[in-house]
Amino acid sequence: MLRAVKIAVIGSGYVGLVAGTCFADSGTTVVCVDRDERKLRALEKGEVPFYEPRLADLVKKNWPDRLTFTNDLPTAIRGAKAVFIAVGTPPQEDGSADLSHVLGVAREVAESAEHDLVLVTKSTVPVGTNERVRQVAQKHTKHKVAVVSNPEFLKEGDAVNDFMKPDRIVVGTEDDDAFEVMSRLYAPFNRQQNRMIRMSPQSAEIVKYASNALLATKISFMNEIARICEVSGGDVEDVRIGMGSDKRIGMHFLYAGLGFGGSCFPKDLRALVNTGNEFGISMRVSEAATHANLIPVKAMIANMEKDLGGLDGKVIALWGLAFKPRTDDVREAPALRLITELKQRGATVRATDPQAMETALEKMKAGGTADVVTLCEKPYQACEGADALVIATEWNEYRNPDLEQLAALLRKKWIFDGRNVLTPAAVAEAGLNYRGIGRPVVLAR
Ligand code: NAD
């Protein structure tokens, strides 16, 4: 009978904290490591420093019995069967992934290792990184370090569920013992049917980028179709259902809107393009998807200028700052790009978001747009004195608003639905003009 396994997870962000907490909840002893003192102080009190549904409860449930936090990597990895690297891989100027954190952690782990271990790359890294991590590890320890690529597919906003009930667990390794360790760790999440897919490290690394690039491309493609709908009188919502009913296409990721954001799609597309360039291959589709993603915000702004008779001096209410619902993540959020464009045209913004006001304020201060934005706790408060409303994130609470109240508040009587969540006829019925993405404009009755 094997004893309970101990692991360490380096990097306690969205991925590391979710993975560490879920492993702990399945009985594994987990030490999460981070170097961000502020984050650690919160975690050491059992508090989660960012918003992710269900996560805070799970942390509280498992901390401090099976789940602990520290900045002391050497102690954390002592006795650990596996060490997961879940640090950031942010984009560099040329779009390539910055691997300095991953390789730095690999070196620190190797230098501190007092026994053989499995080193698992969970961060999203370009093909070839596994080999680089292996070389770094080999150079700095005499112990056996088997390097495994185990990309993470969780979605912010539903991360715990995704981790607990994964569609697939991709494990890239040539090492049978390391695969055994991974199989055991993931067994609690792999009970209904075997979802573990073993492959080479290179393939595993490519799976992650290819998946994100294809999903992002679907969104960009639909946004392009939305433009065709807009100029020709089609309705992209009908087109979406017509297309998605074909089983080969499916309903997922066919929603037109203001474009994709977040820490993954934009960054991973650019990194994939960069990897292609390094191998002398033009990644034309991924490149096009990246460029196309900038168009919806610009198109929305052009429409707003037309509908509102210019934006100079206008006050725009903005519902939603997060790049998608159920997260406080505003990295590359279309709402923030929209604010930049509005500022350039002389408009001011009254913005609200159920979770992302703090993170957005930080980003807006850094980006020089905070001076034109008033943050409002409540959605209707954001509409007070506003000319028009833009919905930029499809939070549930924005889907069925009190339209009569909005009609009374909005001076120019326009709603710009950047996520196609409202029913145009109902908006018009309430005395408001409606413009979605790729849908016919419906004027107030
Ligand atoms: P994050 O920025 O939220 O967290 C990274 C954490 O690592 C931070 O807390 C940082 O302080 C810590 N860190 C950095 N260097 C460190 C070091 N040397 N030692 C200890 N801690 C260190 O990032 P994230 O969103 O969790 O993403 C992590 C990786 O997972 C990235 O490669 C990302 O592309 C990938 N990924 C992210 C998601 C997602 O939805 N966020 C999904 C799948 C994969």
Side-chain angles (χ1 to χ4, degrees):
M1 182 71 185
L2 290 162
R3 283 190 300 135
V5 178
K6 177 192 169 184
I7 63 167
V9 180
I10 320 298
S12 305
Y14 288 91
V15 167
L17 187 58
V18 169
T21 307
C22 292
F23 278 130
D25 199 57
S26 73
T28 299
T29 302
V30 181
V31 184
C32 285
V33 181
D34 208 287
R35 62 179 184 188
D36 181 335
E37 287 297 331
R38 205 166 53 138
K39 214 172 238 186
L40 280 178
R41 272 199 300 277
L43 288 167
E44 279 160 0
K45 284 187 273 171
E47 289 168 10
V48 174
F50 52 85
Y51 176 73
E52 180 61 45
R54 292 180 62 195
L55 187 56
D57 287 344
L58 270 191
V59 169
K60 281 199 191 92
K61 181 177 158 206
N62 290 287
W63 171 87
D65 296 343
R66 281 181 299 272
L67 179 66
T68 50
F69 304 100
T70 181
N71 61 2
D72 180 358
L73 185 144
T75 308
I77 69 166
R78 195 170 295 145
K81 265 241 171 296
V83 178
F84 285 74
I85 305 178
V87 296
T89 46
Q92 307 192 91
E93 196 86 343
D94 63 357
S96 63
D98 177 357
L99 294 177
S100 59
H101 306 288
V102 169
L103 297 175
V105 168
R107 181 182 171 151
E108 219 184 322
V109 169
E111 283 174 346
S112 329
E114 295 172 359
H115 49 76
D116 296 353
L117 53 82
V118 177
L119 186 55
V120 187
T121 311
K122 203 159 226 348
S123 302
T124 301
V125 292
V127 60
T129 305
N130 182 285
E131 178 55 23
R132 290 179 69 184
V133 169
R134 199 185 63 76
Q135 283 171 11
V136 168
Q138 203 172 35
K139 198 168 153 197
H140 293 97
T141 182
K142 59 181 188 324
H143 298 288
K144 180 187 168 193
V145 175
V147 182
V148 173
S149 290
N150 172 223
E152 181 50 57
F153 300 99
L154 61 76
K155 302 182 290 296
E156 285 174 27
D158 206 13
V160 171
N161 196 40
D162 286 343
F163 196 92
M164 298 272 200
K165 295 185 180 142
D167 290 335
R168 78 280 216 205
I169 304 159
V170 171
V171 178
T173 182
E174 313 291 4
D175 187 304
D176 291 343
D177 295 337
F179 185 73
E180 265 316 299
V181 171
M182 297 298 283
S183 301
R184 184 160 175 222
L185 283 173
Y186 276 107
F189 314 105
N190 196 28
R191 290 173 63 83
Q192 196 180 44
Q193 70 180 75
N194 185 16
R195 293 174 194 273
M196 196 164 255
I197 310 168
R198 184 175 176 180
M199 59 186 73
S200 71
Q202 292 91 327
S203 300
E205 289 166 333
I206 294 169
V207 167
K208 175 64 193 176
Y209 281 101
S211 303
N212 272 1
L214 184 61
L215 292 172
T217 301
K218 274 181 103 171
I219 295 173
S220 276
F221 180 81
M222 280 314 282
N223 284 336
E224 210 162 73
I225 295 298
R227 303 269 291 148
I228 289 281
C229 291
E230 216 159 282
V231 295
S232 63
D235 187 331
V236 77
E237 284 304 301
D238 293 336
V239 173
R240 174 179 71 77
I241 292 163
M243 286 171 67
S245 302
D246 181 334
K247 284 197 185 69
R248 294 169 305 174
I249 296 174
M251 287 291 180
H252 295 294
F253 278 78
L254 289 188
Y255 291 91
L258 288 176
F260 54 80
S263 68
C264 291
F265 284 4
K267 151 177 102 63
D268 293 352
L269 269 181
R270 271 159 49 214
L272 184 60
V273 170
N274 191 276
T275 300
N277 287 343
E278 278 174 8
F279 285 104
I281 297 160
S282 291
M283 304 297 287
R284 292 211 172 84
V285 176
S286 300
E287 221 163 320
T290 300
H291 292 305
N293 190 44
L294 299 177
I295 295 169
V297 164
K298 288 196 182 292
M300 172 68 97
I301 288 283
N303 282 330
M304 288 174 73
E305 280 196 296
K306 195 170 62 187
D307 295 338
L308 298 175
L311 283 165
D312 193 19
K314 297 290 187 309
V315 181
I316 306 300
L318 181 62
W319 283 5
L321 291 161
F323 84 93
K324 66 173 185 180
R326 295 180 297 283
T327 179
D328 60 358
D329 197 342
V330 294
R331 292 179 279 188
E332 310 242 7
L336 297 188
R337 271 189 281 125
L338 195 83
I339 289 173
T340 304
E341 298 278 344
L342 288 169
K343 177 177 172 171
Q344 280 166 6
R345 286 161 181 78
T348 55
V349 178
R350 293 176 61 79
T352 187
D353 189 285
Q355 294 293 339
M357 303 238 271
E358 224 172 282
T359 45
L361 182 60
E362 211 173 293
K363 272 269 186 300
M364 291 187 297
K365 278 183 181 161
T369 53
D371 57 329
V372 298
V373 180
T374 305
L375 291 174
C376 305
E377 280 301 322
K378 302 268 181 250
Y380 297 101
Q381 188 194 349
C383 296
E384 285 168 13
D387 292 296
L389 167 65
V390 178
I391 300 178
T393 313
E394 63 275 34
W395 284 96
N396 246 348
E397 47 267 64
Y398 301 160
R399 288 173 186 268
N400 204 1
D402 180 342
L403 295 167
E404 271 72 30
Q405 196 178 342
L406 289 179
L409 289 169
L410 297 171
R411 294 190 297 217
K412 294 262 179 196
K413 313 286 176 219
W414 271 97
I415 293 187
F416 298 95
D417 184 358
R419 296 294 171 187
N420 288 350
V421 290
L422 302 183
T423 308
V427 176
E429 200 67 46
L432 288 158
N433 304 304
Y434 176 89
R435 183 190 280 281
I437 303 266
R439 318 183 75 175
V441 168
V442 183
L443 295 177
R445 301 243 167 82

